[in-house]
Every structure is written in structure tokens, then in C-alpha cells.
Amino acid sequence: MRKGLAIGLVAAVLLAGFATMRRHELFRFVIGAAAGAAGYSVSIGRQTVAFDAMEFRDVHVSRGGVPLLDAARIDVRYSLRDLLPGSSRRFGVAAIDVDAAKLSIVRASDGTYNFLGPPARKGLPQAQLPVEVDNVPVRFTLRMRDTSVELLEPQAYDSSARRVVIDGFTVDASIDTSAVSRYRARGAFQGNRRGDPFTIDGTMDALRGFAMHRARAARFPLRALANYFADSPVIRVLKGRARNFDARLYALDVRPNVTPDYHANLQLDIDGGSLALAMLAAPVEEVRGRVQLVDDTFFLRRVDARLAGVALHITGGIYDFAGGLTGSPQLRLGISGNGDLSAFRHAFTFTRAEPMSGPLQIGVLVAGPIGDPVIVANADSARAIYRNVPFDGLRAGVVYNHGVVGFAPLTAKYGSTQLWVRGTLGTGKQLTSELALHVAGPASGMPFLNRLMGKEPVRLDAVAHGINTNFSVQAAASSARGIGPMAALIALGPAGTAEVAPFWLHTAGGSLTGGYLLDRPHSSSAYWATASGLALHTIVTRFPGLTLPIVPPLAGVLQSASIVGGNDGADAA
């Protein structure tokens, strides 16, 4: 009742104004006051006001100094009677015609726009208090001709999103929130000689309780619009063509004069797309397939792509786009692919400088916040080569999150020797390594031991700490049958130093105790050993890709001996 009284008082003031002062000044005052209360600034070059119509020329609307609307002409038809209680239309407006206008929608770096919109929902849905319904319907016609629309984002991460232009935008609408509202809009995205035309049709039927809005376009400027509405340094669309764009916004519980609760369904076909992801050093290219958006969930259904030369097949999506439930959009993607390591190493910052090659099959699950997801990957290679060292049957379980790569585990075979690696790689400005290594196999397949132990089963465990390619290693080796037959302690330094001390071998074929030192920075080495009844053999075992210190080709049986030497055997006693 108070609201109706207030409207009546306003109407009375307007009627009195018509009778006591110039109508132009009155309407200029009312429009300026109403716009100012909402944070807008309005300037009008020339206006003509009649009892039931207004004509405005050279209209400029801005908010916070940022232009929103420029129009050569706006015509408004209204009824002052409808401002009084018992009116048939809210605000008294009956028709609006707009000619030669430009609408500028500006997106700021914080995600806000240069117009007031409904507040964003945060967190889980909350119980709402009953809202008083205004039973006076919004009832008017709208006509727009020769209008252009600019989508502006001056600080966008991708240059394509800084200015998107729609030309030839026209609207014909009949609005009645108490019954049926219909509209049709047309336009074309600027960007090529012909432009990319689109249509938008809508029906809001408060009598039958539904609303449907549908936008369609045969072609779609994917890069510009995707980067505009999802502006982020984490994911950017670099290029791509979109076809068969079809978006629907619908509601199934429409009531008279109440804003509906809408749901969205959007789908389009992508061809030749390219994405840049913050966690990847190379773009995802040749993206091809159908994508779909349902409310705040983005689906990929068997999308094919290539990453650093590897063919990928992607299924999954992005959900909670608004971040209302989890604080940020969430990824959940399943990826499978095959290719070659020589190309795929360029996909990640921490591997692109590492020389590797070989066939590769991968399976990847990406899950978590879009800015810092957890990546779980499995990789298989029948024969992989790393720094000229060949490995057979390579299998890797890898977890990546927040710049850290974890191996869980990595297994491979070098000749007859089986390798297991667990640990982490930190991928900051420097590659930092914390690795645990387990080696198992016959001594005949291991450097140096092949000459002493034959086929004795040997185990080695090591812990490595590294920065880039400089490692320090602490290791212990022994026979698989225990430390009685054989044992050794090993230390490797990051500057090229090595120490094997002590080392002992006690078998039926004799015994050996000794040590070995290597000092590459000073170009020196040394060794010592004592032996008793030890059978030595010159065994030639190939170790592809490894550069090893030269051991003198000794053969025979040492009944009792002690030896001290160094400098690659040049000095010995």
C-alpha cells in the first residue's frame, strides 16, 4: 500500500510539473536523478516531450566514466495515467524505439561490468525470504535498428578478447510479464568479409509457465568470445573455428511478474582449435569435436587433439564455473594418447630440455581447481632412450600438482637389470630432484661387477638429491642372498666425484676387499684392493649409452695380492 502511495505521489508531482513548469526540464531532472541514484550518468543533446511521448537525440549513458550506450535517437511512448494506482503497465512505458545506437559492454579485470546486474550467488543455495510480487506487469514493445554492440575488455590476457564487435543488431520485442513475451534479435559478429550472422529468439509464457530463449549461429568467433567470457591466464583459446552454435536458456516454473530461475544448454562443434594451458609448455592443437555447456558444467565428448606431436582423445569437462560451491572452476578430464617421446617432451617445462625418444602411450586424469589441478598420468614405452641410454618396458606412474612431479613408480629395464624409481621433481626456476632408486639383476649385467661376480643376483638401493643435472647420491649394494657374499657403500657427488668404500666380495671363488675414488674436477682417480684366491675374468659386457671409467683388463687367479693405483690405471703398485 505504501508503494502504491509513493507511485501515486510521483505521478502527482509529474502531472503538477506538466502544469507548472517546462516539461523538458522536468524530464531531464527526473531522468538524471533516477540514473544518478543507480550510478549512471546520462547526457541528452536534444529532447522533445509531449504528454504521451518523448524523443531524445544524441543520448550518452555511462557508469563510472565508462561508456555504456550512445544512441542517435530514442523514442519512448508512455501513459502518465499508468503511474497512478490501478495502472495496467509498470512505469507507464508502452513502447521504446532505438535507432543508430552503440552498446558498449566493458568487462573489468576483476570480472565486473559497466552496468548493474544481479548479485552473483556464492556458496550453497540458501533459503530465501518471500519476495513481494509487484502485480503490475511490465508491458511494452521494443524496437532497435542499425545498432552495434561492442564487448570490450582492455586488460584481457588474450588480445582477441579486448574488442569483439557485433554489427547490424536488430531487435523486435513484445514484452508482457503477466502473459506472453516474445522477441527476435539478429546481428553478425565482425571479423571477416561476410561476418558471422546469428539469431536470438525468445518466448516467456507466464500463462503456461515456461520460458525459452535460443541463440543460433552457423559460424562462431570461438577465440574472441571464449577468451572474453572466460578470461584467465590459466587457459586461453589461441585459435579455432566453431560451427553449429546452438544455445538455449530455459525455465519451467515461470510465474507472472516473477524473474524465472533459468537453466542453460549450449553446444557447438570445434574444428582446428588451439588452447594454451598454464601447466603445459606447448599448446593443445588441432582440437576437433563437440563441446556442450549445461548450466555451470562444460562437457567434452570425445574431443580429438594433439599435444607436442602426440594424438590425444579427451573426455570430461569443467564444472562449477561460477565457483559457488568450491571457490573456483573445477576440471575433470580423461585423456588418452600415443606418439613419440622426442616430441612429447616439449609438452612440459621440466622435460623439454631432456633428450629422450621412443614410442609412447599415455593415459591421464586431470582433476581439481582449474588453476592448480592434480594430474595423474600413466605412460608406457616398449623402448625409450634417455641421454642415449636405452630402456625397455618403460612404465611410469606420474602425479603432478603445484609444480611438483611425483613418480609412483617409474619402472624400466636396462639390459638384464630392472630399475624402479620413486620420488619427486620440483619444477620451479630450477629442476630439483628427490629420488629413490632400486636396482635388481645379475652382476653380469652391471658395470664392474660383471668381471667379479658372474651371475650373482645383486640389489642396490640409492637416494639421490639433485639440482638440474647435478646429483649427489648415497647408495648401498649387496647380494640378494645377503651382505655376506657381497656389499658396498657408494657416494656420488654433484661435481663428478665418486667413492666406493668399502667394497667386499666373499665367495667360493675367492675374496676381494677394496675401494675406489674418482675426482673429475681434479682429473684424478684412485683404487685399492686386497685379494685372496680370487678368479678374475675379462668379460666384455656392452653398456649402451654409458661412459664408464676404464678398468684394467685383468685376468687370472690372485692367490694373494694387494694393489693400489689411480689415474685410469696409469699408476699402480
Side-chain angles (χ1 to χ4, degrees), residues 27-40 42:
F27 273 93
R28 189 184 296 270
F29 169 77
V30 171
I31 292 173
Y40 295 95
V42 178

Side-chain angles (χ1 to χ4, degrees), residues 506-526:
H506 301 289
T507 68
S511 65
L512 171 68
T513 302
Y516 173 75
L517 301 175
L518 173 67
D519 188 354
R520 288 189 184 276
H522 298 91
S523 301
S524 66
S525 63

